[in-house]
């Protein structure tokens, strides 16, 4: 007999049902949940207050931990990037980003990405598949094992478009924020999207104060169409309407993520339009200087980046420039996995 489930992501109700079917006392369900969500223990062998036979049954009933750390790349600034292998051979990444005050984990939601933004390594090989809630949570557990505790913040900005995998992402979010589970404040969690309009409305319906990071990257549909392929690209007007709905429902300012690409979206006029859009929609702007993953796009010069920043700041007071973390070789989103695929000759 098997439950066809993993322990990361299991709910207390599911555990109660399983424990009852095993004929064990009901408090065992709580003990197991405490091991997983309070002490980050997912290996039944390490659940020391359970009798040996129950530990054995759990090992038979549940799949083994769903990810294996294949590679851990440390950048000079103490950022660590983990390449994780899934049970079917697919690979994903998670990144651990420390600052003096806090630790942030950046998690993936899909193996590959169907959106295919032209500047992004993650989308280059297309979508392999959605991650299950257990796999998303396993990234968190794998990072916490290395860090020694849960992170202070989580950003879903790794590989994939999370709002195209809402069922699994939302289950993972329930476990991460639930008081009976990991219990993190939704305010410490950022969900990023390339602008999947139905997904933004679904996220708003959860009624939680997650931060929504909207990867706008362009101030009009014409420029945006040169960056993001048509199939999953929504009109900017619809995206901004959904963002307004999100802000009004969740009570959180939305962040416009804007990757600066030389000669594409980095003119002073773009800076002005972006800043005015942010003011109109009560949004913050986060500028990201492109970290080249292909020769299709170039990073603007430092001078152009500074000029863009100053122009935007002269109009909008909520503008930041994201400094590169985990810079250097294979550090941009998706590059570690893509490099592996290319090395293995499996790039489709
Ligand atoms: S930027 Fe995000 S949405 Fe676009 S291809 Fe990369 S992972 Fe997908």
């Amino acid at each position: 007999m098997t439950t066809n489930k993993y322990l990361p992501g299991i709910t207390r109700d599911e555990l109660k049902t399983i424990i009852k079917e095993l004929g064990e006392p009901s408090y065992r369900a709580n003990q197991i949940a405490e091991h997983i969500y309070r002490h980050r223990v997912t290996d039944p062998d390490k659940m020391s207050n359970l009798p040996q036979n129950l530990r054995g049954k759990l090992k038979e009933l549940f799949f083994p931990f769903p990810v294996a750390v294949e590679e851990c790349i440390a950048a000079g600034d103490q950022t660590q990037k983990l390449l994780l292998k899934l049970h079917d051979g697919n690979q994903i990444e998670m990144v651990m980003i420390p600052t003096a005050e806090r630790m942030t984990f950046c998690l993936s939601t899909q193996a590959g990405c169907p959106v295919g933004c032209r500047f992004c390594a993650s989308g280059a090989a297309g979508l392999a598949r959605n991650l299950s809630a257990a796999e998303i949570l396993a990234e968190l557990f794998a990072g916490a094992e290395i860090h020694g505790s849960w992170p202070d913040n989580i950003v879903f900005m790794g590989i994939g478009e999370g709002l195209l995998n809402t069922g699994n992402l939302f289950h993972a979010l329930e476990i991460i924020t639930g008081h009976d589970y990991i219990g993190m404040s939704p305010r410490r969690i950022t969900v990023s999207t390339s602008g999947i309009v139905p997904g933004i409305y679904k996220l708003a319906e959860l009624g939680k104060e997650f931060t929504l990071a909207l990867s706008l990257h362009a101030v009009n549909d014409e420029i945006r169409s040169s960056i993001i392929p048509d199939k999953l690209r929504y009109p900017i007007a619809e995206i901004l309407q959904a963002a307004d709905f999100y802000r009004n429902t969740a009570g959180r300012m939305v962040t416009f993520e804007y990757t600066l690409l030389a000669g594409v979206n980095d003119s002073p006029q773009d800076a002005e339009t972006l800043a005015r859009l942010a003011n109109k929609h009560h949004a913050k702007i986060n500028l990201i200087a492109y970290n080249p993953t292909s020769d299709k796009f170039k990073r603007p010069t430092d001078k152009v980046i500074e000029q863009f920043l100053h122009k935007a700041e002269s109009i909008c007071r909520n503008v930041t420039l994201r400094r590169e973390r985990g810079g250097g070789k294979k550090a941009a989103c998706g590059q570690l996995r893509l490099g592996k695929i290319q090395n293995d000759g499996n790039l489709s």
Side-chain angles (χ1 to χ4, degrees), residues 290-308:
Y290 181 51
N291 188 18
T293 57
S294 78
D295 49 16
K296 281 190 214 141
F297 295 100
K298 290 193 168 54
R299 179 190 179 103
T301 62
D302 288 349
K303 189 174 168 202
V304 168
I305 293 169
E306 288 303 320
Q307 282 171 347
F308 194 100

Side-chain angles (χ1 to χ4, degrees), residues 113 115-117 120 122-123 160 194:
C113 181
V115 181
C117 301
C120 173
S122 300
S194 60

Side-chain angles (χ1 to χ4, degrees), residues 161-174:
E161 167 52 70
L163 294 188
L164 290 174
N165 184 18
T166 48
N168 294 319
L169 173 62
F170 290 1
H171 180 74
L173 286 171
E174 248 179 74

